[in-house]
Amino acid sequence: MSSADFLTDFHHVATIGATPRHGVDRQAATAEDAQSRAWFSKWVADAGYTLHVDGIGNMFGLIEWTPGAPYVLIGSHLDSQPLGGRFDGAYGVLAALHAARNVDELATKSATRPPFNLAVVNWFNEEGGRFAPSVMGSSVFVGLFDQEKMLDTTDLAGVTARAALAEIGYLGTDPRPVTVSYAEIHIEQGRILERENIAIGVVDRSWYTQKLDIEVLGEQSHTGATAMADRHDALVAAAKIILMVREVTTDFAEEAIVSSVGQLTLEPNSPIVVARRVRLVADLRSGDPAIVQAARATLLEKIAALAVEHDIKINVTDFDIRPIRYFPENGLQLAEQAAGRAGLSTRRIQTMAGHDSVAMNTIVPSIMLFIPSVDGVSHCEREFTTDADMVAGLALLTEVATDLVNGALVDPALLDPALSPALASSARA
Ligand SMILES: [Zn+2]
């Protein structure tokens, strides 16, 4: 295996949609996303693997050693936040491509072929910056989200995900691989591994998350001519809500809950008009669902009081509620043993961020691995991870993928050759 080839590829992909301060801007189904997809397609073709694109724009590079056998999936996402970092998602896809090639080289040299095939996946719209909700492609793949409904979602300019994918040529029709297990490696996006000087985080569960869609309805009027007492300023009320969403976290222990308003749209957004409507999205997350519920209850109470105080209407809708999900214990142990063989230190860790692996874990045993993030920053241009940490993660993913294609974590019944034809036919259905 060549870590130099991996690093060359990684740093090349970081130039696609590059921003002035070393970040990338490759939002889902944009021209920049199309460029990174073209790079992925070419890599897969050059390696001699088969490319499939499904109906929600997920891309699969398929390596078939055993005709008709189901697949182990490894991968992540190449899309980014606006002015995002070059490691978030892209590292996991690049590591998966190179891990797949490493496994393929070992498999073709060996006398016996692995019982399961291997596919590298680039999931559509993990970030959710342009089309909400996030983790879209993998959630459709596992059936948590409805494909047609997701294709109908629109960006702020009113373009549907369907039209955007068609425009860049990635509204596919290929069948999805039948999958038996999944592994993903990603940057931590926090500072626990760095602080403790540990090479690998083995993710044992995801945080409880929920969003609040908040619509503040005031009254449009002249910013110059309207008397102050007569104004029903939606933006002033929205500003107070933004602060409430932050301050509610201080009701709980430090770091027990995190929250922010990350999106705000303003109508009519004219310098001489008092805002009539503001829509904002609050994102609340905790390792304990009861804490999120308590914070939500406090916010609803305060927002109701604010509406009375300002004599305006405020609608609050719950959406994108994601329960805590646990990764399987045998997968955690597999990852820890593989890290031991690769000489890498590990600790168990929770993920506060959403990931495609969390969706995949609802249908097949999944493994989620973290490598350290310098200063713990992410979703910004300053995001950074060292080459050495990336290469160590690649070695681990190669070990893990090797175990998985040889049947680790899989129900032994699926290894029975008599069952393979049935699985193969369900793949074509
Ligand atoms: Zn990511």
mmCIF file of all heavy atoms in Angstrom, residues 76-77 79 88-90 126-127 184 186 189 354-356 379, ligand 1:
data_model
loop_
_atom_site.group_PDB
_atom_site.id
_atom_site.type_symbol
_atom_site.label_atom_id
_atom_site.label_comp_id
_atom_site.label_asym_id
_atom_site.label_seq_id
_atom_site.Cartn_x
_atom_site.Cartn_y
_atom_site.Cartn_z
ATOM 1 N N SER A 76 -17.896 7.973 2.898
ATOM 2 C CA SER A 76 -18.329 9.167 3.627
ATOM 3 C C SER A 76 -18.891 10.122 2.561
ATOM 4 O O SER A 76 -19.558 9.650 1.639
ATOM 5 C CB SER A 76 -17.165 9.760 4.425
ATOM 6 O OG SER A 76 -17.604 10.726 5.356
ATOM 7 N N HIS A 77 -18.604 11.413 2.641
ATOM 8 C CA HIS A 77 -19.215 12.357 1.698
ATOM 9 C C HIS A 77 -18.203 13.389 1.195
ATOM 10 O O HIS A 77 -17.335 13.827 1.942
ATOM 11 C CB HIS A 77 -20.375 13.099 2.375
ATOM 12 C CG HIS A 77 -19.952 13.877 3.595
ATOM 13 N ND1 HIS A 77 -19.629 15.209 3.549
ATOM 14 C CD2 HIS A 77 -19.746 13.504 4.878
ATOM 15 C CE1 HIS A 77 -19.263 15.617 4.756
ATOM 16 N NE2 HIS A 77 -19.317 14.605 5.580
ATOM 17 N N ASP A 79 -19.330 16.301 -0.271
ATOM 18 C CA ASP A 79 -19.906 17.660 -0.225
ATOM 19 C C ASP A 79 -19.413 18.376 1.031
ATOM 20 O O ASP A 79 -18.915 17.743 1.971
ATOM 21 C CB ASP A 79 -21.440 17.627 -0.285
ATOM 22 C CG ASP A 79 -22.098 17.138 0.999
ATOM 23 O OD1 ASP A 79 -21.602 16.150 1.569
ATOM 24 O OD2 ASP A 79 -23.092 17.740 1.441
ATOM 25 N N ASP A 88 -13.529 17.333 6.411
ATOM 26 C CA ASP A 88 -14.847 16.826 6.798
ATOM 27 C C ASP A 88 -15.472 16.066 5.631
ATOM 28 O O ASP A 88 -15.833 16.666 4.627
ATOM 29 C CB ASP A 88 -15.726 18.014 7.223
ATOM 30 C CG ASP A 88 -17.162 17.628 7.565
ATOM 31 O OD1 ASP A 88 -17.507 16.437 7.458
ATOM 32 O OD2 ASP A 88 -17.925 18.529 7.932
ATOM 33 N N GLY A 89 -15.589 14.752 5.777
ATOM 34 C CA GLY A 89 -16.208 13.925 4.736
ATOM 35 C C GLY A 89 -15.226 13.467 3.684
ATOM 36 O O GLY A 89 -15.076 12.276 3.438
ATOM 37 N N ALA A 90 -14.520 14.427 3.061
ATOM 38 C CA ALA A 90 -13.600 14.074 1.976
ATOM 39 C C ALA A 90 -12.530 13.097 2.468
ATOM 40 O O ALA A 90 -12.166 12.145 1.760
ATOM 41 C CB ALA A 90 -12.954 15.326 1.398
ATOM 42 N N GLU A 126 -24.605 15.090 2.652
ATOM 43 C CA GLU A 126 -24.472 14.820 4.089
ATOM 44 C C GLU A 126 -24.609 16.114 4.866
ATOM 45 O O GLU A 126 -25.141 16.136 5.965
ATOM 46 C CB GLU A 126 -23.111 14.160 4.380
ATOM 47 C CG GLU A 126 -23.005 13.582 5.790
ATOM 48 C CD GLU A 126 -22.610 14.593 6.845
ATOM 49 O OE1 GLU A 126 -22.152 15.703 6.507
ATOM 50 O OE2 GLU A 126 -22.763 14.277 8.037
ATOM 51 N N GLU A 127 -24.117 17.214 4.298
ATOM 52 C CA GLU A 127 -24.009 18.453 5.069
ATOM 53 C C GLU A 127 -25.332 19.167 5.284
ATOM 54 O O GLU A 127 -25.532 19.812 6.311
ATOM 55 C CB GLU A 127 -23.003 19.396 4.394
ATOM 56 C CG GLU A 127 -21.561 18.863 4.364
ATOM 57 C CD GLU A 127 -20.928 18.811 5.746
ATOM 58 O OE1 GLU A 127 -21.558 19.228 6.727
ATOM 59 O OE2 GLU A 127 -19.774 18.339 5.823
ATOM 60 N N GLU A 184 -16.999 3.732 8.411
ATOM 61 C CA GLU A 184 -16.693 5.107 7.993
ATOM 62 C C GLU A 184 -15.630 5.678 8.912
ATOM 63 O O GLU A 184 -15.659 5.450 10.125
ATOM 64 C CB GLU A 184 -17.975 5.962 8.087
ATOM 65 C CG GLU A 184 -17.749 7.438 7.752
ATOM 66 C CD GLU A 184 -19.057 8.234 7.579
ATOM 67 O OE1 GLU A 184 -20.145 7.611 7.658
ATOM 68 O OE2 GLU A 184 -18.977 9.448 7.378
ATOM 69 N N HIS A 186 -13.674 9.458 9.862
ATOM 70 C CA HIS A 186 -14.003 10.881 9.768
ATOM 71 C C HIS A 186 -13.129 11.637 10.762
ATOM 72 O O HIS A 186 -12.639 11.060 11.729
ATOM 73 C CB HIS A 186 -15.487 11.047 10.157
ATOM 74 C CG HIS A 186 -16.142 12.296 9.665
ATOM 75 N ND1 HIS A 186 -16.000 13.506 10.301
ATOM 76 C CD2 HIS A 186 -16.957 12.518 8.609
ATOM 77 C CE1 HIS A 186 -16.709 14.423 9.641
ATOM 78 N NE2 HIS A 186 -17.304 13.853 8.606
ATOM 79 N N GLN A 189 -13.809 16.485 14.759
ATOM 80 C CA GLN A 189 -14.510 17.784 14.804
ATOM 81 C C GLN A 189 -14.651 18.307 16.231
ATOM 82 O O GLN A 189 -15.403 19.239 16.479
ATOM 83 C CB GLN A 189 -15.883 17.709 14.120
ATOM 84 C CG GLN A 189 -15.789 17.186 12.682
ATOM 85 C CD GLN A 189 -17.137 17.021 12.007
ATOM 86 O OE1 GLN A 189 -17.894 16.128 12.348
ATOM 87 N NE2 GLN A 189 -17.450 17.869 11.044
ATOM 88 N N GLY A 354 -24.020 14.669 13.353
ATOM 89 C CA GLY A 354 -24.663 13.596 12.607
ATOM 90 C C GLY A 354 -23.681 13.025 11.596
ATOM 91 O O GLY A 354 -22.766 13.721 11.156
ATOM 92 N N HIS A 355 -23.828 11.751 11.266
ATOM 93 C CA HIS A 355 -22.968 11.137 10.255
ATOM 94 C C HIS A 355 -23.764 10.101 9.474
ATOM 95 O O HIS A 355 -24.726 9.531 9.988
ATOM 96 C CB HIS A 355 -21.762 10.439 10.908
ATOM 97 C CG HIS A 355 -20.769 11.385 11.491
ATOM 98 N ND1 HIS A 355 -20.013 12.233 10.711
ATOM 99 C CD2 HIS A 355 -20.426 11.657 12.775
ATOM 100 C CE1 HIS A 355 -19.228 12.958 11.491
ATOM 101 N NE2 HIS A 355 -19.458 12.635 12.749
ATOM 102 N N ASP A 356 -23.307 9.822 8.248
ATOM 103 C CA ASP A 356 -23.950 8.791 7.440
ATOM 104 C C ASP A 356 -23.931 7.435 8.153
ATOM 105 O O ASP A 356 -24.853 6.634 8.000
ATOM 106 C CB ASP A 356 -23.249 8.688 6.081
ATOM 107 C CG ASP A 356 -23.393 9.978 5.270
ATOM 108 O OD1 ASP A 356 -24.539 10.416 5.055
ATOM 109 O OD2 ASP A 356 -22.370 10.560 4.871
ATOM 110 N N HIS A 379 -16.294 22.635 10.080
ATOM 111 C CA HIS A 379 -17.260 23.465 9.331
ATOM 112 C C HIS A 379 -16.712 24.872 9.156
ATOM 113 O O HIS A 379 -17.450 25.862 9.207
ATOM 114 C CB HIS A 379 -18.658 23.484 9.998
ATOM 115 C CG HIS A 379 -19.410 22.200 9.792
ATOM 116 N ND1 HIS A 379 -20.692 21.989 10.257
ATOM 117 C CD2 HIS A 379 -19.048 21.068 9.155
ATOM 118 C CE1 HIS A 379 -21.083 20.769 9.906
ATOM 119 N NE2 HIS A 379 -20.097 20.198 9.245
HETATM 120 ZN ZN ZN B 1 -18.872 15.058 7.652
#
